[in-house]
């Protein structure tokens, strides 16, 4: 979780009456809501609304998100060339699911229209990696600006509107479990360790509360699993005057990742950025290459034993790969070797640094391709290691 944060007006003691500021609508209190994780067991935030957050006028079915996985006849490597993804929908409806298991759904999104209505994922934390574009995530916590190469981490049950300034392009991860800072980076006091690849200063939360005081029916599209439900609230839900706690959306920019390098190749866990049950998110950031005079500066071949490995290529030249393009996703599944492409070991010998930027998602459980993923699949990729 990001560090404790407090914005706006909160009472001196929790669970006590937070009275209106003098002159605001006469006598009255703000309505406390406790936003928790893991029931009441883990991180929480306490916020104060103008109106009770429970004023629901109607609850209506709104369909379901269609995710159709395909049964593949063989186990093989994939490259999904999603550079040619057709722009569609809005930042929520335009998501195209590609790789799926019970722990994570990976989608690409290139929206063409503004978000139609407020949205809330009630059963998944979301990590929205901004490949292109900038904008603002609007929530009860206040506006959160984002820019290219930001991971925007949105805790489950956060009602939001993702506003883009112009075009945008994203990789979206929906996590069934909680997305957290890896425990190995935290000291016993909960602070990011000296030597961790990022620090609290690199995590950016909302800077101010913005209160929408609007007694007007407002719809919220709620997703739980694949089901969609449309709630009509009797007021706009972004009416929070203050909050404090550890649960809030935040950004972390991939270019703020401080890579750990060595005399010889370091394994992927040094690039871990976030942790979630069943998968990890890693950042391959621009870095110095290995300094041993005989170092092989691209990763060794390996078979992803008990793991599926997905790389999303963001920017730059990827030293160990030939023929991958920006916005491609490769899936190197469990149990079959992959490694540097022919010629890349020699080509890297004289290099001292790499400018590559990629996001890696390693899962414990096997991933399935969706029907949509097949449209982008490069059938020749498994043979791309032949001279
Ligand atoms: Fe690998």
């Amino acid at each position: 979780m990001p560090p404790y944060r407090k914005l706006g007006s909160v009472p001196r003691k929790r669970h006590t009456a937070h009275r209106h500021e003098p002159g605001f609508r006469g006598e009255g209190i703000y309505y406390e809501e406790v936003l928790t994780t893991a029931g009441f067991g883990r991180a929480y935030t306490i916020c104060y609304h103008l109106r009770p957050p429970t004023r629901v006028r109607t609850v209506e079915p709104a369909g379901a998100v269609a995710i159709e996985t395909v049964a593949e006849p063989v186990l093989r490597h994939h490259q999904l060339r999603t550079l040619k993804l057709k722009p569609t929908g809005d930042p929520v409806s335009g998501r195209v699911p590609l790789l799926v298991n019970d722990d994570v759904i990976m989608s690409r999104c290139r929206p063409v229209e503004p978000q139609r209505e407020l949205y809330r994922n009630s059963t998944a934390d979301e990590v929205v990696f901004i490949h292109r574009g900038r904008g603002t995530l609007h929530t009860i916590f206040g506006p959160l600006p984002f820019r290219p190469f930001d991971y925007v981490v949105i805790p489950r049950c956060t009602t939001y509107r993702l506003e883009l300034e112009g075009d945008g392009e994203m990789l979206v991860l929906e996590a069934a479990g909680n997305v957290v800072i890896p425990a190995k980076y935290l000291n016993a006091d909960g602070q990011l360790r000296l030597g961790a690849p990022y620090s609290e200063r690199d995590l950016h939360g909302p800077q101010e509360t913005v209160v929408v005081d609007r007694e007007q029916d407002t719809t919220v599209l709620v997703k739980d699993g694949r089901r969609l439900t449309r709630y009509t609230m009797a007021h706009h839900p972004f009416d929070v005057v203050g909050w404090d706690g550890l649960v809030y959306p935040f950004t972390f920019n991939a270019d703020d990742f401080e890579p750990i390098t060595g005399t010889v190749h370091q394994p992927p866990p040094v690039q871990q950025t976030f942790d979630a049950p069943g998968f990890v998110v890693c950042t391959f950031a621009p870095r110095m290459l290995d300094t041993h005079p005989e170092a092989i500066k691209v990763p060794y071949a390996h078979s992803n034993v008990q793991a599926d490995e997905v790389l999303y290529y963001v920017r730059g030249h990827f030293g160990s790969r030939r023929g991958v393009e920006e916005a491609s996703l490769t899936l190197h599944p469990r149990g079959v070797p992959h490694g540097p492409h022919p010629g890349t070991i020699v080509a890297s010998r004289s290099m001292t640094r790499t400018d590559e930027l990629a996001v890696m998602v390693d899962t414990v459980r096997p991933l399935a391709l969706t029907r949509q993923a097949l449209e982008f699949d490069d059938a020749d990729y498994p043979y791309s290691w032949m001279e």
Side-chain angles (χ1 to χ4, degrees):
M1 287 295 169
Y4 172 83
R5 197 168 185 86
K6 180 172 125 180
L7 287 184
S9 158
V10 302
R12 196 178 63 80
K13 294 285 285 179
R14 57 187 171 180
H15 319 321
T16 61
H18 185 12
R19 300 197 183 284
H20 285 171
E21 316 291 336
F24 181 78
R25 288 190 188 157
E27 298 273 307
I29 60 166
Y30 301 108
Y31 293 88
E32 184 182 61
E33 181 185 10
V34 182
L35 312 158
T36 68
T37 47
F40 293 90
R42 291 191 57 176
Y44 64 90
T45 281
I46 302 177
C47 69
Y48 297 88
H49 293 270
L50 294 185
R51 300 175 175 87
T54 44
R55 297 175 69 227
V56 177
R57 248 190 231 295
T58 61
V59 180
E60 296 164 301
V65 175
I67 298 181
E68 188 190 330
T69 56
V70 292
E72 291 186 86
V74 294
L75 174 70
R76 70 163 172 91
H77 299 311
H78 290 275
Q79 180 180 191
L80 308 178
R81 295 183 180 273
T82 67
L83 190 62
K84 59 185 179 188
L85 180 77
K86 279 200 210 73
T88 183
D90 75 18
V92 174
S93 67
R95 295 175 183 183
V96 178
L98 299 170
L99 297 165
V100 177
N101 69 16
D102 287 344
D103 299 312
V104 62
I105 299 170
M106 292 179 225
S107 305
R108 289 267 289 116
C109 184
R110 193 180 273 173
V112 284
E113 55 192 56
Q115 192 176 319
R116 273 176 231 148
E117 61 187 331
L118 297 176
Y119 174 72
R120 174 186 180 98
N121 196 329
S122 66
T123 48
D125 286 4
E126 294 186 356
V127 179
V128 179
F129 179 78
I130 307 295
H131 189 160
R132 287 196 192 81
R134 54 183 67 238
T136 306
L137 184 79
H138 298 275
T139 70
I140 62 168
F141 303 96
L144 177 67
F146 58 80
R147 60 191 170 102
F149 318 126
D150 268 350
Y151 294 96
V152 185
V153 182
I154 309 171
R156 67 200 58 220
C157 303
T158 300
T159 300
Y160 70 78
R161 182 167 66 85
L162 194 149
E163 181 186 32
L164 283 159
E165 298 165 16
D167 291 342
E169 169 140 18
M170 302 170 272
L171 173 73
V172 181
L173 310 177
E174 290 174 65
N178 298 102
V179 174
V180 298
I181 294 166
K184 64 183 179 180
Y185 294 157
L186 300 171
N187 63 27
D189 302 297
Q191 188 177 19
L192 278 152
R193 288 178 189 275
L194 294 167
Y198 56 89
S199 80
E200 283 81 359
R201 295 185 201 177
D202 301 314
L203 309 178
H204 306 285
Q207 293 294 319
E208 56 176 356
T209 54
V210 170
V211 181
V212 180
D213 180 3
R214 197 181 295 159
E215 182 72 16
Q216 177 186 309
D217 285 6
T218 307
T219 63
V220 181
L221 188 65
V222 178
K223 181 176 188 236
D224 73 305
R226 294 179 188 186
R227 178 171 57 186
L228 296 169
T229 306
R230 182 163 289 109
Y231 273 69
T232 302
M233 310 298 298
H235 64 276
H236 198 289
F238 295 174
D239 65 346
V240 166
V241 298
W243 59 270
D244 75 333
L246 275 71
V247 176
Y248 58 89
F250 66 95
T251 63
F252 170 68
N253 195 274
D255 279 329
D256 284 330
F257 191 86
E258 297 152 19
I260 293 164
T261 58
T263 53
V264 294
H265 180 69
Q266 299 295 301
V270 301
Q271 278 135 339
Q272 190 177 353
T273 309
F274 299 115
D275 202 13
F279 74 97
V280 295
V281 180
C282 302
T283 305
F284 287 71
R287 61 191 180 276
M288 295 297 295
L289 290 172
D290 319 314
T291 54
H292 188 284
E294 293 292 323
I296 292 175
K297 297 177 183 175
V298 290
Y300 33 74
H302 59 111
S303 289
N304 288 333
V305 178
Q306 297 171 299
D308 273 15
E309 173 198 300
V310 176
L311 267 166
Y312 178 68
Y313 302 86
V314 179
R315 188 187 70 198
H317 170 74
F318 211 77
S320 64
R321 295 269 171 273
R322 269 189 349 197
V324 297
E325 59 190 16
E326 199 181 291
S328 273
L329 288 132
T330 53
L331 168 63
H332 300 137
R334 60 217 165 269
V336 281
H338 69 286
H341 273 116
T344 57
I345 293 178
V346 171
S348 68
R349 207 171 275 161
S350 61
M351 289 166 61
T352 55
R353 53 176 296 116
T354 169
D355 63 351
E356 69 196 23
L357 180 63
V359 174
M360 187 173 85
V361 179
D362 265 13
T363 68
V364 176
R365 290 197 263 197
L367 287 161
L369 269 72
T370 62
R371 184 182 45 74
Q372 293 101 314
L374 295 180
E375 287 171 39
F376 305 104
D377 186 36
D378 173 357
D380 293 329
Y381 183 65
Y383 315 114
S384 60
W385 283 268
M386 292 298 288
E387 305 285 346

